[in-house]
Amino acid sequence: MKKVIYYATFVLLLSGCYTPLNNSGVATTKPWLEISGRKNDFEGKQYDSCYRFNVRFWPQEAADTLNLQESCITSCCWRSDKEEVTLDFNKNFEKDLARYGYARKYTPGKITLKVNHANWLNTTRVTVSPKNVISNTGLIKLSYKTYDNPARIAQLEKQAQAPTVKNTVSTPARTTQTTTKKTTSATTNVKNLNSPAKTLVQRVAGAKIDSYFYDMNKRYNKQGAVFLLSERLLYVQPAGENLAIVSCTAKARTGIDAEHLNAATFPCGQWLVDTSAEQVTPYDKRAQLIWGI
């Protein structure tokens, strides 16, 4: 009799940790773990389910470091295909530092989520490591430190002001006049590329970039935080005849309220520009995200 009472008490205590049944009729241990679909055997027992993590991020831009679809955040994943998901926020840290001249390093850098199902309780459980990094409402709150690459920043600023031609080959003295003429002409062409390339990016992609930051501002406001966007900077790097890669960054101040603001820099994509055809193409993943690809 005592064993029966103990077992019943254990079940009641355990079930008290679970959230109500969701649309698929399966209980979960966290409100932000959603079950979109399931597969049952002939006995009615579940052997697979499609789950999704309905989570939010602070700061908002931490989400940009992830593939939200592969991370089972914007789409569900079948448990038979993927029982464990790792959110790696610093995966592209070194790459971004070398490309943009600055990058954020987040703490914790990685979050692991493991999903399993208990048929006898009709409950899907998620285990999070490190513990308590995700709130009960699904908020992932990270801290970060911004690192600078002074050499790369100086290079980008130099390219924006007066780009130079790379890989110039030295020639004998007797052809110095001809070589100088060609180099001067090429350098002039690169300088002349600078302003048109910026203008094309502003004209073709400017509205989408503005919309990207407008949506970011709305996400900050939804969290009761502050996002103040200031200047947007464009750096031009020659990429061939009439071609250039334009790197976009924006300065802003963010914080939990107006009295606690921190300076921040946000990338707004790299854009491949063909000034002769007046075409602008998203060059990196951030630009593709902004463009809507």
Side-chain angles (χ1 to χ4, degrees), residues 1-10:
M1 183 65 181
K2 289 183 179 180
K3 290 184 178 180
V4 173
I5 295 174
Y6 175 80
Y7 178 79
T9 303
F10 172 75

Side-chain angles (χ1 to χ4, degrees), residues 273-285:
V273 180
D274 184 337
T275 55
S276 61
E278 296 191 348
Q279 292 181 343
V280 176
T281 306
Y283 188 72
D284 66 354
K285 289 184 178 180

